[in-house]
Amino acid sequence: MTKSKDSVDTDIVAFENYIQAILFYDRLVAVDDYIPAHRDARIASFPDITFLNTTEYNLDEIEATATERANQLRPKLQGGEFVNDDFRKLIELLQTHIVCTWDISSSVYHLTLKNLSDNQQDFEKYGNIAASIFAELGDASDAGRRTSGNVELLDRYGNPIVKGYKVPGAKWGNGESSGEASGAIKAFVASLVWLANRSIFYSLTAKYLQADTFLYPIRQAYQQSYISQTCHYGFDYAKHIVEHFSTSLSTDLIDIHNGGLTASTSTSLPVFSAWLAKETGDPAHIVQAAYNIRNNSEFVEAREKMREVRRLFDEHDIADANRAVSAIIQDIGKASNDIRIKYGLQTRQGVPVTKLVHVYNTYAALNSLPKVPGYNFKVKVPEFFYNLKQPRGFRSVYRNLTHDLSTVWSLGEARDILGSRILEDKRARAYSPKQEEPRHRNAHSPFKSPM
């Protein structure tokens, strides 16, 4: 059940994350923090996932830290755009364009959320991303959590927008404004704050568990920004991952950060969920079908090589591990080419391919993240916990959402199958930004004015 079908394509990308995790990892672990009324049903629906109780494994302490950090965010809109670093950089990493303008309603100017786009295809793409961000607010509500939509408003001249504010250069009346953000903008800001909360929480939990993270694609983008800044990689590194490394025409790569704090590996893969959709004809059967093929020799070999890459990064300096890892990545490249041939879905545009990027964050770099609690070995813990006594880093999985959305649109019948069981909650309130063409953004008209 979804509040808006505008987020379905992003959900398909997230589902592909899940399928790839099944195929390329030995064990899947999730935090047991779902809606209390449906928690048991979720655990029963995913018997192959280990769910960790937040209290039993000290994760509630991490949650409190994440909430504290998210509450320190100070959202600010000036001249129609976010200017606080956290959200400005997230919007940039998502390669989308969110703006605010004053729009007339009942003779009063109201601050309105819009997508800046030249054509319908871009509007749909950015609208999909915006809808996925709005969905975060529903996630917070379902979890019984409140998140703040407070935002500081300044016009393009730096003047605060408060009660009694008059829109400069307005073409209608005396420019009387509402003096505050619309409900959609407040909901968008509250969604971003919750998104930050969850991304920080899962990043700190990954540090605690020394586990790779497969987050929802929107959260993956925030995670890259948060870790890059907090661990002093610099925002340029996060941009490099998004704009170049995840879209490079080279098949399989390794990229070492010059500071030796982090490394990235990239593998080109087919859209397995699309291939499985055509094989099964029913999205309800795709997960089991993925488990049925995960022990095929190509996936067993790939998991072994990925474990070796992780071991090299864990046990050696990144610079020392570089040569050995590069050789393994070449082997993975040969295997991934065979996998693309065997599991690639033929479309009019060829075989759709996505990039799976692993960003390895060293233990030394992660010392800059907030502290996490110690392990409590007095309680019964999953077997893998006993391997955590040696301090190590963790890998964050990243995929380029704007690129993958375009890939999803090319899937044809497979896309229809993947979305066939999704139901829309007609009673739910869903926000959807309007379109603003870039050439009209700073123009005044009888209907709107720039912020």
Side-chain angles (χ1 to χ4, degrees), residues 306-318:
M306 289 178 69
R307 277 196 299 271
E308 180 63 11
V309 169
R310 174 64 186 262
R311 186 191 66 79
L312 288 166
F313 282 141
D314 281 341
E315 298 179 2
H316 302 276
D317 179 86
I318 280 184

Side-chain angles (χ1 to χ4, degrees), residues 108-394:
V108 175
Y109 284 90
H110 296 273
L111 206 54
T112 306
L113 192 70
K114 294 183 177 179
N115 279 321
L116 200 64
S117 50
D118 277 312
N119 53 62
Q120 186 63 28
Q121 185 177 27
D122 282 347
F123 178 61
E124 290 177 2
K125 181 188 299 181
Y126 301 145
N128 200 295
I129 293 173
S132 300
I133 293 174
F134 276 125
E136 293 285 339
L137 191 58
D139 181 76
S141 176
D142 290 340
R145 301 284 293 276
R146 294 182 62 84
T147 179
S148 174
N150 294 335
V151 55
E152 182 181 356
L153 302 176
L154 302 172
D155 66 15
R156 59 191 181 279
Y157 305 111
N159 301 315
I161 297 171
V162 294
K163 186 176 181 180
Y165 177 82
K166 304 292 184 182
V167 178
K171 297 288 187 180
W172 182 273
N174 63 357
E176 180 184 354
S177 79
S178 61
E180 64 176 7
S182 66
I185 292 175
K186 291 178 181 178
F188 192 73
V189 170
S191 299
L192 287 171
V193 171
W194 180 248
L195 184 155
N197 182 315
R198 294 294 84 190
S199 298
I200 295 171
F201 169 67
Y202 291 120
S203 298
L204 296 182
T205 300
K207 175 187 177 183
Y208 178 61
L209 300 177
Q210 299 166 33
D212 291 10
T213 55
F214 269 87
L215 304 184
Y216 191 70
I218 298 288
R219 295 177 179 181
Q220 286 177 342
Y222 189 90
Q223 181 187 44
Q224 287 308 315
S225 177
Y226 172 71
I227 294 180
S228 292
Q229 293 297 94
T230 308
C231 296
H232 311 297
Y233 302 159
F235 183 65
D236 286 346
Y237 185 70
K239 286 183 64 178
H240 170 66
I241 293 295
V242 172
E243 296 175 358
H244 172 71
F245 196 60
S246 62
T247 56
S248 171
L249 294 178
S250 299
T251 304
D252 297 280
L253 303 164
I254 179 169
D255 186 75
I256 305 293
H257 188 268
N258 56 15
L261 294 173
T262 186
S264 303
T265 60
S266 176
T267 306
S268 298
L269 296 168
V271 184
F272 293 102
S273 56
W275 185 84
L276 292 169
K278 292 296 292 290
E279 288 292 303
T280 64
D282 187 345
H285 298 153
I286 289 176
V287 170
Q288 184 55 54
Y291 277 107
N292 291 343
I293 65 171
R294 76 182 300 273
N295 288 325
N296 289 357
S297 59
E298 55 270 20
F299 296 118
V300 173
E301 180 181 353
R303 289 197 295 273
E304 290 174 351
K305 292 186 181 299
M306 289 178 69
R307 277 196 299 271
E308 180 63 11
V309 169
R310 174 64 186 262
R311 186 191 66 79
L312 288 166
F313 282 141
D314 281 341
E315 298 179 2
H316 302 276
D317 179 86
I318 280 184
D320 293 337
N322 183 12
R323 183 177 300 176
V325 170
S326 295
I328 296 174
I329 291 297
Q330 289 180 1
D331 290 341
I332 292 176
K334 295 174 184 177
S336 67
N337 184 61
D338 293 338
I339 288 173
R340 289 193 300 273
I341 293 172
K342 185 172 181 178
Y343 299 98
L345 181 72
Q346 287 290 342
T347 70
R348 293 177 180 176
Q349 292 79 25
V351 177
V353 174
T354 68
K355 281 270 190 171
L356 182 66
V357 178
H358 282 104
V359 182
Y360 182 82
N361 308 281
T362 65
Y363 176 72
L366 296 177
N367 284 335
S368 299
L369 290 179
K371 293 184 181 301
V372 295
Y375 307 118
N376 181 7
F377 290 105
K378 294 180 181 179
V379 300
K380 184 179 181 180
V381 295
E383 180 184 347
F384 74 90
F385 257 73
Y386 292 104
N387 298 322
L388 302 181
K389 295 180 181 180
Q390 176 68 34
R392 294 169 179 162
F394 76 90

Side-chain angles (χ1 to χ4, degrees), residues 62-91:
I62 297 177
E63 185 142 26
T65 300
T67 298
E68 178 186 355
R69 295 299 168 115
N71 288 343
Q72 291 173 358
L73 297 175
R74 296 292 177 265
K76 180 188 291 188
L77 282 165
Q78 180 173 351
E81 296 186 26
F82 284 103
V83 293
N84 59 302
D85 276 351
D86 300 273
F87 296 155
R88 177 178 61 82
K89 290 175 179 177
L90 172 65
I91 298 299

